[in-house]
Amino acid sequence: MNHPAARVCITCLLFSIAFSTPVLAWNRATHMVTGAIAYQEMKASSPATVARIVVLLRQHPEYKQRWASKLNDASLSEDDRDQYLFMLAARWPDDIRGNVYDHPTWHYINYVYAPQQGIARTDTMLATGENILEAFEQNKQIVRSNVPDSTKAIALCWLFHLSGDVHQPLHATALIDNQFPAGDRGGNLFKIKVMMSSQTINLHSFWDGMLLGDDDFQAARNLAVLARQTVRREQLPQLGKTDIGSWSKESFQLAQDNAYRSNTLAAGTDQEGAILPPDYVATVKPIAQRQMVLAGYRLADELTADFTN
């Protein structure tokens, strides 16, 4: 019911709750796929931009520490190395959790979904510090500025990564209800089981890992090729929306309609997750795949614009 008292309660909650959510989304392997999709798109449409980005990423402060040994694999061609660098850049913000470059609140935005009170709003959010929208714009300005290349390389990694994160529906959502009065942290507190025999996990982790579990270069590259063949640009009219605010609102709607199934999906407990409906995986996996591909296409378009303007 939509009582005034309930609205007051939710409004107070919105302005009083602040927390950080230690989440990874998508998983590292899926971020690598979005980086590969962007690389493959740009290699065909803007190879000069790819070359400029590769030069910048090689100036990253952690290039030698984290990436050089992987990229020096003798089995990789020069093209493989450049593509692999895009993939490593896309996952880097998850690889550096807890170090000086980490920004935990940059990965998400908590738009309020409080279906029991009839509230689903993108003009109000739970307070978390700098969110994904602010972080994206901040790093885009750095890439377009005259700062040192090493600083641009860090900002590029964040643009790669946040382009992926914002397309994971549960990175745009805070479910608030009787079970989660302070929010479910983008599904991190929402306990489920895929089948009766499965272990209890959270809904966020399920969405993170449903597309690819292996963060091997070949596996991620091959999925990127297949995904581009399966979901082509002409099938995605929403590519016309070029601002991250619109992307986040798309994800918020997908979370409501599909991740939470219009508030019909049941949550369990830490000890016993609620079993997902029999058709849930088959229904949401194509949505997740489309979001992954959309993220890769949009990243390619964003990077092309950043280095053209």
Side-chain angles (χ1 to χ4, degrees):
M1 298 181 66
N2 198 4
H3 294 301
R7 285 190 173 275
V8 170
C9 179
I10 290 295
T11 301
C12 292
L13 180 66
L14 302 182
F15 289 98
S16 64
I17 293 176
F19 56 80
S20 63
T21 308
V23 293
L24 304 176
W26 308 82
N27 63 3
R28 291 173 174 87
T30 310
H31 275 294
M32 291 173 69
V33 176
T34 62
I37 290 171
Y39 177 88
Q40 293 165 16
E41 286 286 302
M42 296 174 69
K43 188 71 173 178
S45 64
S46 186
T49 303
V50 170
R52 290 181 65 188
I53 291 172
V54 167
V55 169
L56 280 175
L57 289 175
R58 287 175 179 163
Q59 303 306 308
H60 193 288
E62 294 196 337
Y63 178 86
K64 291 182 179 179
Q65 172 190 347
R66 291 186 180 272
W67 300 340
S69 62
K70 295 182 175 67
L71 297 172
N72 288 336
D73 185 335
S75 69
L76 299 175
S77 67
E78 183 177 353
D79 182 72
D80 286 340
R81 291 188 180 96
D82 290 347
Q83 184 168 190
Y84 199 6
L85 185 55
F86 267 56
M87 296 157 74
L88 292 169
R91 62 174 282 174
W92 178 77
D94 278 346
D95 289 332
I96 51 91
R97 294 283 182 165
N99 85 4
V100 66
Y101 300 112
D102 188 18
H103 297 276
T105 68
W106 280 11
H107 297 257
Y108 61 94
I109 186 168
N110 281 334
Y111 293 132
V112 172
Y113 180 42
Q116 292 173 348
Q117 285 76 41
I119 298 173
R121 300 179 60 166
T122 57
D123 61 346
T124 311
M125 62 207 70
L126 297 187
T128 60
E130 284 187 314
N131 62 46
I132 195 170
L133 307 189
E134 296 162 333
F136 190 87
E137 294 302 326
Q138 176 181 325
N139 284 284
K140 181 164 70 173
Q141 293 308 312
I142 291 173
V143 167
R144 294 182 174 189
S145 72
N146 294 319
V147 299
D149 286 353
S150 59
T151 304
K152 285 189 178 183
I154 293 171
L156 269 173
C157 289
W158 279 106
L159 287 185
F160 275 57
H161 190 82
L162 300 180
S163 295
D165 275 353
V166 76
H167 287 85
Q168 208 274 45
L170 291 171
H171 267 242
T173 312
L175 170 67
I176 298 172
D177 60 13
N178 293 336
Q179 189 171 356
F180 307 110
D184 76 336
R185 302 190 179 189
N188 275 275
L189 302 180
F190 197 109
K191 303 298 182 177
I192 57 96
K193 296 173 71 172
V194 177
M195 299 179 293
M196 177 68 75
S197 59
S198 303
Q199 67 178 2
T200 292
I201 60 172
N202 65 66
L203 188 64
H204 190 110
S205 295
F206 168 80
W207 274 79
D208 274 359
M210 79 168 85
L211 296 177
L212 184 65
D214 187 353
D215 63 358
D216 171 74
F217 166 74
Q218 300 286 356
R221 182 188 62 181
N222 292 344
L223 180 55
V225 171
L226 178 61
R228 288 177 66 226
Q229 293 171 347
T230 304
V231 184
R232 300 186 179 276
R233 278 184 173 268
E234 56 267 26
Q235 299 172 257
L236 298 169
Q238 60 268 55
L239 280 171
K241 297 178 181 178
T242 59
D243 64 291
I244 192 172
S246 295
W247 306 348
S248 68
K249 292 174 183 178
E250 291 171 357
S251 289
F252 182 52
Q253 192 63 55
L254 288 172
Q256 296 171 60
D257 297 343
N258 298 282
Y260 295 115
R261 287 204 163 180
S262 301
N263 197 37
T264 64
L265 195 69
T269 65
D270 289 341
Q271 293 72 35
E272 188 68 21
I275 301 171
L276 291 176
D279 66 335
Y280 188 86
V281 176
T283 301
V284 302
K285 192 168 184 177
I287 295 169
Q289 182 184 52
R290 187 190 65 204
Q291 288 297 102
M292 178 187 68
V293 179
L294 185 58
Y297 289 159
R298 281 174 165 163
L299 173 59
D301 294 345
E302 175 63 40
L303 293 173
T304 300
D306 289 337
F307 285 89
T308 300
N309 295 336

